Amino acid sequence: MPSDTAPRSGRRGAGRDAKRAARLAHAIDSVPFITRQLAPFEVLSEEGLALIEHNADTVLEEIGIDFKGDPEALDLWRAAGADVQGERVRFPRGLCRGLIQQHAPREYIQHARNPARSVTIGGRNTVFAPNYGSPFVRDLDGGRRYGTVEDFRNFVKLTYASPWLHHSGGTICEPVDLPVNKRHYDMLYAHMRWSDKPFMGSVTAPERAQDSVNMAQLLFGDNWIDPASGRPRTVMTSLINANSPLTWDATMLGALKVYARANQANLTTPFILAGAMSPVTVAGTCTVTLAEALSGMAFAQLVNPGAPVILGSFASSISMQSGAPTFGTPEPSLVLYAMAALARRLGVPFRSGGALCASKVADAQAAYESANTMNATLMGGVNFVLHAAGWLEGGLAIGYEKFVMDCDQAGMWHAFMNGVDLTASGQAMDAIREVGPGSHFLGCAHTQANFETAFFRSNLADNNSVEQWEAEGAQDMPVRANAIWKRALREYEPPPIDPAIDEALLDYMARGRAAVPDSDI
Amino acid sequence: MPSDTAPRSGRRGAGRDAKRAARLAHAIDSVPFITRQLAPFEVLSEEGLALIEHNADTVLEEIGIDFKGDPEALDLWRAAGADVQGERVRFPRGLCRGLIQQHAPREYIQHARNPARSVTIGGRNTVFAPNYGSPFVRDLDGGRRYGTVEDFRNFVKLTYASPWLHHSGGTICEPVDLPVNKRHYDMLYAHMRWSDKPFMGSVTAPERAQDSVNMAQLLFGDNWIDPASGRPRTVMTSLINANSPLTWDATMLGALKVYARANQANLTTPFILAGAMSPVTVAGTCTVTLAEALSGMAFAQLVNPGAPVILGSFASSISMQSGAPTFGTPEPSLVLYAMAALARRLGVPFRSGGALCASKVADAQAAYESANTMNATLMGGVNFVLHAAGWLEGGLAIGYEKFVMDCDQAGMWHAFMNGVDLTASGQAMDAIREVGPGSHFLGCAHTQANFETAFFRSNLADNNSVEQWEAEGAQDMPVRANAIWKRALREYEPPPIDPAIDEALLDYMARGRAAVPDSDI
């Protein structure tokens, strides 16, 4: 965000600020997403991964998955060769995997209305999107309260302004002040109007998914259809959660079908609190997750072969005393690593992780848990990272200060994933020869030539002496973050939009709102 | 620590507490250190690592290392075939590596006076030791102040009490209230008397290193000599920092020689703030670190072939504006991963990482930075982790609350490094069959049989609802940690010691203190 480029105190020269801002602005333009130079970390051998695949196939074959309230889904499965009893679908071994590997793209481009913001999802790429789905918001000034559409717009703007978030996300927070059956209009419009980054569609009802597709078609206009394929370009990636264990419900199936038919991407995610929706083990949780995700992604291929899908895994362990979800703990990280490897073997993009935590506030607990989860996210090779910024309280709240803190961390991952520079300049043998024993490198030619870009610079972290830190008010990280998001909102400038498109969107929404009464479901 | 086993509130039943305490006590006995089941993460290819090795050999051959104020060292190097000009030593390619690979053990046991606490350093093992070297301490009650010998003893006791720290460390904080030339007695005695875990010796002067050896000999008595080899058992690992770049000073060389001759382990660590003591690049920093460490470890082999050594790497990047060190940032993590791989190729134990941070207080910054560093530490395969708990403010201070927080994280790494259980119980197919679609796993037989040990349990993290958290006082993590360390000190019970040994130690110290006047150098 622009304020990421600004110093906290006014002491530094304006010239340096401008130079720094220019450098970061360049970084924004040049990095629409991370392309990792490092191989992912593996926690299971080939044999271990094959065992979980075998077990998932056993679950699909012997136990099956419930496809609820969607007779069309049952017909499609029957026609594909599955065994359908009531709403229970059992799959011959390899059926789901085969459908996915035959049709689903290994990676896909999600187009943004600003082509420079388009993201490639899958392969060696990582895309960061903000928090999703929180009914509450928290900031240092107002504490915790229900989210509003103003909060929603604020977070769209903050996401747009951050150089380290690549994707505008979806339901960043719930705009609880708007009727449930109409708030998707305002959320979609905010993503489309106040950002030019790629975004997610509504999934809370099939007709809202259709509104998402219709508005996206208005937004992209002549660019909606790819002339090469004759199909719509993929411009949305939307979140289809399983009703774990082993169940897809009618709402999610309905939204999935709308998106798949329009060639939009479905992020099919088993949402699992291990111990409740899956066994209390890592391998068992992976088995349930894989079985569910396979069935969802394969179903998308039945609806429209070739429609993009992501294998999603949201896994937390629960406290076996209270039932509360826990984050940043060892077992969810192990699940993430294993699932990432399973997605690579299957050959589809993978979604998991984020800056997850159980803490209610942006304290040390929040940071330990978020950092642990983000380390697994990046080291494991996640392609699409929902909840990369803002998450608090098991997802019940999004925090403004937490958002700023997580963005800073997201920036660091850009530097880490570039790996080690082994060019002659990276080796720096000239510098070592120039300085020799017992001196220092601060003034040597190589340092002078490289210090501007040598190390990742956070302007949220305070690395000063304790004396200087105290002189500046002994501010902890959330206090510093508070100033940063406020400044980012003050300095926000919207991206340009064609007025005719804007009018068409506003008109579409006005007609949609007028067509039905407000409703809270 | 015992209080880790206790709930924060008094609401839970005493029976459950006792059960939990018993379970954790068992864990303490059974895990004297971590043996990882996961392969380390690699950031460089074989070619990249070989390039840095080649460059380090070039530094050793062409630039050389200064061995200051130690004519004996120069004689030893001359006799070994090095080119010695003044105090500058230049090494034929491969000389240092050859000495190390011919003589130094790939791993070694550091014996504790309680044999159950002995640690194996090297290989697939990871040993956690607390913070080292801070002149200041901080807690929520008293803020920041100079460390005292009482603080020192407190941290020895807290380390002893933690099930997740394997090693008592060395100068956990500086007892600034004692004269510089005598405080080593009190530090050594605290480790020997108030803990039974392995510890580190004094390095601030050769005669203090000798005092450390003499007191260790008293402590171990009949067990000092290994009858199989006729040599002293290794019972101390001590920290020998290089004076980077490319310099060893007389104090450190003197201490190293004392320890090597007594078959005690030397942790030879280039202490590098990249950009000041090394180039502003990862590869350049690794080259300087490797060259220095090779020369130090090889020197120990000249002094006493076979004496245990550890390749140490302490690397921070510095803020190129202020010169302040930064932690938990991408570049030091990359250095850590690369150096860990270089140590494995060389075939010696590796020390790096810890819960490092620049933050002055135990806030979110401290936690993000510490967690990032600890992730690299564990994923990279560090064998000896100094600063695993307590570090604040770039090492200038140790925090009581930070210590408790870091211990909790250290516990989580024990669970993570066990990897994924792929036994029949780990696969949990019976549970998945029993529960089926649309139900939950909370009450199933497999969950009931496994929930006690299924997931790592923190009792510092608060995973409760916001309503319950507010009802309990809306305590952030440091506030909860404050209660935990106080309880741990209240409940501390010293390990038993032979009164004759205790008396011999007290007598040795009394004579040493009386022999010379107090001095502040």
Side-chain angles (χ1 to χ4, degrees):
Chain A
M1 63 199 70
S3 70
D4 275 353
T5 70
R8 283 188 308 285
S9 77
R11 294 185 185 178
R12 291 168 195 156
R16 180 180 289 169
D17 291 354
K19 209 163 155 187
R20 175 122 197 269
R23 192 177 59 240
L24 282 182
H26 177 71
I28 298 171
D29 291 341
S30 59
V31 184
F33 49 88
I34 294 174
T35 301
R36 59 188 296 133
Q37 301 301 317
L38 302 171
F41 182 74
E42 303 281 355
V43 300
L44 283 175
S45 65
E46 293 288 307
E47 293 73 19
L49 295 167
L51 174 65
I52 290 173
E53 288 170 344
H54 176 84
N55 286 349
D57 253 354
T58 301
V59 169
L60 290 170
E61 182 185 36
E62 296 180 12
I63 303 171
I65 306 278
D66 282 352
F67 281 71
K68 296 242 181 203
D70 192 331
E72 183 191 13
L74 302 177
D75 289 342
L76 283 166
W77 278 122
R78 213 174 275 115
D83 168 35
V84 179
Q85 308 283 340
E87 293 185 315
R88 177 75 52 90
V89 182
R90 293 183 177 82
F91 310 82
R93 295 191 89 84
L95 173 63
C96 292
R97 175 173 299 270
L99 285 165
I100 296 162
Q101 292 186 325
Q102 188 178 349
H103 299 298
R106 297 183 74 90
E107 58 182 64
Y108 66 93
I109 297 174
Q110 183 184 344
H111 295 272
R113 71 175 172 101
N114 175 351
R117 310 284 200 195
S118 295
V119 293
T120 301
I121 296 179
R124 284 164 46 226
N125 307 307
T126 297
V127 170
F128 288 145
N131 187 70
Y132 189 103
S134 305
F136 296 97
V137 300
R138 181 184 280 274
D139 66 55
L140 277 186
D141 308 286
R144 184 181 190 264
R145 55 194 164 72
Y146 275 109
T148 65
V149 71
E150 186 187 347
D151 292 309
F152 188 93
R153 289 186 197 117
N154 285 344
F155 282 115
V156 168
K157 293 172 183 177
L158 291 170
T159 301
Y160 170 68
S162 172
W164 311 126
L165 299 181
H166 315 111
H167 196 286
S168 196
T171 308
I172 311 182
C173 67
E174 281 286 347
V176 176
D177 53 339
L178 299 180
V180 168
N181 66 333
K182 297 180 182 175
R183 60 177 68 153
H184 65 289
Y185 292 123
D186 301 81
M187 292 193 276
L188 286 162
Y189 182 75
H191 286 302
M192 293 176 175
R193 178 66 194 93
W194 309 121
S195 181
D196 62 4
K197 294 184 178 181
F199 57 89
M200 305 173 80
S202 174
V203 297
T204 53
E207 59 271 22
R208 295 172 205 155
Q210 191 59 55
D211 279 332
S212 306
V213 171
N214 295 346
M215 287 176 70
Q217 189 167 354
L218 291 174
L219 181 69
F220 281 83
D222 294 344
N223 294 319
W224 172 250
I225 297 294
D226 175 9
S229 68
R231 287 155 61 115
R233 287 196 167 89
T234 300
V235 302
M236 286 182 287
T237 297
S238 304
L239 179 59
I240 305 295
N241 277 340
N243 199 349
S244 305
L246 307 180
T247 305
W248 295 99
D249 69 26
T251 301
M252 288 289 154
L253 292 172
L256 179 150
K257 288 190 291 185
V258 168
Y259 287 123
R261 290 199 167 106
N263 199 38
Q264 303 305 304
N266 280 298
L267 204 180
T268 59
T269 300
F271 178 97
I272 290 191
L273 309 182
M277 292 87 145
S278 74
V280 288
T281 67
V282 170
T285 298
C286 290
T287 299
V288 170
T289 300
L290 182 58
E292 294 178 4
L294 281 169
S295 70
M297 292 186 291
F299 178 63
Q301 302 312 310
L302 291 185
V303 172
N304 182 14
V309 289
I310 301 179
L311 192 166
S313 168
F314 181 99
S316 156
S317 52
I318 65 172
S319 160
M320 298 310 292
Q321 284 80 32
S322 66
T326 68
F327 300 93
T329 46
E331 297 81 12
S333 292
L334 290 168
V335 170
L336 188 156
Y337 284 114
M339 290 308 306
L342 291 163
R344 284 191 290 275
R345 284 164 64 91
L346 184 60
V348 290
F350 180 60
R351 171 255 161 151
S352 193
L356 309 184
C357 64
S359 189
K360 270 56 76 180
V361 289
D363 67 347
Q365 178 181 341
Y368 278 118
E369 293 174 346
S370 297
N372 285 343
T373 309
M374 282 299 278
N375 270 269
T377 301
L378 275 294
M379 306 293 275
V382 175
N383 300 120
F384 186 75
V385 185
L386 205 54
H387 314 307
W391 171 289
L392 282 175
E393 205 189 304
L396 282 175
I398 177 172
Y400 277 85
E401 290 80 22
K402 177 69 162 32
F403 185 93
V404 170
M405 289 156 45
D406 290 335
C407 283
D408 184 55
Q409 293 291 309
M412 294 196 200
W413 284 111
H414 285 70
F416 183 86
M417 283 298 150
N418 280 335
V420 181
D421 174 9
L422 291 178
T423 63
S425 173
Q427 294 177 58
M429 288 298 283
D430 287 352
I432 300 172
R433 284 197 179 88
E434 178 184 340
V435 173
S439 182
H440 68 76
F441 288 76
L442 291 170
C444 79
H446 180 270
T447 302
Q448 290 300 308
N450 292 284
F451 80 93
E452 283 269 354
T453 54
F455 301 135
F456 178 81
R457 295 186 196 182
S458 163
N459 78 331
L460 175 60
D462 186 300
N463 302 310
N464 293 329
S465 68
V466 70
E467 292 78 13
Q468 186 171 347
W469 176 75
E470 286 174 350
E472 292 176 356
Q475 299 181 344
D476 66 8
M477 190 175 247
V479 171
R480 302 192 299 268
N482 182 270
I484 288 178
W485 69 258
K486 288 176 177 170
R487 179 167 173 167
L489 287 180
R490 277 198 310 275
E491 297 183 350
Y492 165 81
E493 290 182 18
I497 193 169
D498 178 340
I501 289 175
D502 193 26
E503 198 165 322
L505 290 171
L506 293 168
D507 178 63
Y508 181 89
M509 294 192 293
R511 285 185 287 117
R513 287 192 191 100
V516 291
D518 291 356
S519 161
D520 277 347
I521 55 169
Chain B
M1 60 199 73
S3 70
D4 274 354
T5 69
R8 286 188 307 284
S9 76
R11 294 185 184 179
R12 291 170 195 155
R16 180 179 291 169
D17 291 354
K19 208 163 157 190
R20 175 121 196 269
R23 193 175 61 239
L24 282 181
H26 177 72
I28 299 171
D29 290 341
S30 59
V31 185
F33 51 87
I34 293 174
T35 301
R36 59 187 298 131
Q37 301 302 317
L38 301 171
F41 183 73
E42 303 281 355
V43 300
L44 284 175
S45 64
E46 293 287 307
E47 294 73 19
L49 296 167
L51 175 65
I52 290 173
E53 288 169 345
H54 176 84
N55 287 348
D57 253 355
T58 301
V59 169
L60 290 170
E61 181 184 37
E62 296 181 12
I63 304 170
I65 306 278
D66 282 354
F67 282 71
K68 296 242 182 203
D70 191 331
E72 184 191 14
L74 302 176
D75 289 342
L76 283 166
W77 277 122
R78 211 175 277 116
D83 169 34
V84 180
Q85 308 283 339
E87 293 186 314
R88 178 75 51 93
V89 183
R90 292 183 177 82
F91 311 81
R93 298 192 87 85
L95 173 62
C96 292
R97 175 173 299 271
L99 285 166
I100 295 162
Q101 292 185 325
Q102 189 179 349
H103 300 298
R106 298 182 72 89
E107 59 181 64
Y108 67 94
I109 296 173
Q110 183 185 343
H111 295 272
R113 71 174 172 103
N114 175 353
R117 309 285 200 197
S118 296
V119 293
T120 301
I121 296 179
R124 284 164 45 226
N125 307 307
T126 297
V127 170
F128 289 143
N131 187 72
Y132 188 103
S134 305
F136 296 97
V137 299
R138 182 184 278 276
D139 66 57
L140 276 186
D141 308 286
R144 184 181 190 264
R145 55 193 164 72
Y146 276 108
T148 66
V149 71
E150 186 186 348
D151 291 310
F152 188 94
R153 289 185 198 118
N154 285 343
F155 282 115
V156 168
K157 293 173 183 176
L158 292 171
T159 301
Y160 171 68
S162 171
W164 312 125
L165 299 180
H166 316 111
H167 195 285
S168 196
T171 308
I172 311 182
C173 67
E174 281 286 348
V176 177
D177 53 339
L178 298 180
V180 169
N181 67 334
K182 297 181 181 174
R183 59 177 70 151
H184 64 291
Y185 293 123
D186 301 80
M187 292 193 277
L188 286 161
Y189 181 75
H191 286 302
M192 293 174 173
R193 178 66 193 93
W194 308 120
S195 181
D196 62 3
K197 294 185 178 181
F199 58 90
M200 305 174 80
S202 174
V203 296
T204 54
E207 59 273 22
R208 296 172 203 155
Q210 191 60 55
D211 280 333
S212 306
V213 171
N214 296 346
M215 287 176 69
Q217 192 168 354
L218 292 174
L219 180 70
F220 282 83
D222 294 343
N223 294 318
W224 172 249
I225 297 293
D226 175 10
S229 67
R231 288 155 59 115
R233 288 197 167 88
T234 300
V235 304
M236 286 182 288
T237 297
S238 303
L239 180 59
I240 305 296
N241 277 340
N243 200 348
S244 307
L246 307 179
T247 305
W248 294 100
D249 70 26
T251 301
M252 287 291 153
L253 292 172
L256 179 150
K257 288 191 290 186
V258 169
Y259 287 123
R261 292 201 165 105
N263 199 38
Q264 303 304 304
N266 280 298
L267 204 180
T268 60
T269 299
F271 179 97
I272 291 193
L273 308 182
M277 292 86 145
S278 75
V280 289
T281 67
V282 170
T285 299
C286 290
T287 299
V288 171
T289 300
L290 182 58
E292 294 178 5
L294 281 170
S295 70
M297 292 186 291
F299 178 64
Q301 302 313 309
L302 291 184
V303 172
N304 182 14
V309 289
I310 302 179
L311 193 166
S313 168
F314 181 99
S316 156
S317 52
I318 64 171
S319 161
M320 300 309 292
Q321 284 80 30
S322 66
T326 67
F327 300 93
T329 46
E331 296 82 12
S333 291
L334 289 168
V335 170
L336 187 157
Y337 284 114
M339 291 307 306
L342 291 163
R344 283 191 291 274
R345 283 163 65 91
L346 183 60
V348 291
F350 179 60
R351 170 254 162 153
S352 192
L356 309 183
C357 64
S359 188
K360 271 56 75 181
V361 289
D363 68 346
Q365 179 180 341
Y368 278 118
E369 294 173 347
S370 297
N372 285 342
T373 310
M374 283 298 279
N375 270 269
T377 302
L378 275 292
M379 305 293 276
V382 175
N383 300 119
F384 186 75
V385 186
L386 206 54
H387 314 307
W391 171 288
L392 281 176
E393 205 189 305
L396 282 175
I398 178 172
Y400 278 85
E401 290 80 21
K402 177 69 163 33
F403 186 93
V404 170
M405 288 155 46
D406 290 335
C407 284
D408 184 55
Q409 293 290 309
M412 294 194 200
W413 285 111
H414 285 69
F416 183 86
M417 284 298 150
N418 280 334
V420 181
D421 174 9
L422 291 177
T423 62
S425 174
Q427 295 178 56
M429 288 297 284
D430 287 352
I432 301 173
R433 284 199 179 88
E434 177 184 341
V435 173
S439 183
H440 68 76
F441 287 76
L442 291 170
C444 79
H446 180 270
T447 302
Q448 289 301 308
N450 292 284
F451 80 93
E452 283 268 354
T453 55
F455 301 134
F456 179 80
R457 295 185 195 183
S458 163
N459 77 331
L460 176 60
D462 186 301
N463 302 310
N464 293 330
S465 68
V466 70
E467 291 78 13
Q468 186 170 348
W469 176 75
E470 287 173 351
E472 292 175 358
Q475 299 180 346
D476 67 8
M477 190 176 246
V479 172
R480 301 192 300 266
N482 182 269
I484 288 179
W485 68 258
K486 288 176 177 170
R487 179 166 175 167
L489 287 181
R490 276 200 310 274
E491 298 184 349
Y492 165 80
E493 290 181 19
I497 194 168
D498 178 338
I501 289 175
D502 192 26
E503 199 166 321
L505 290 170
L506 292 169
D507 178 62
Y508 182 89
M509 295 192 293
R511 284 185 288 115
R513 287 194 191 100
V516 291
D518 292 355
S519 162
D520 278 346
I521 56 168

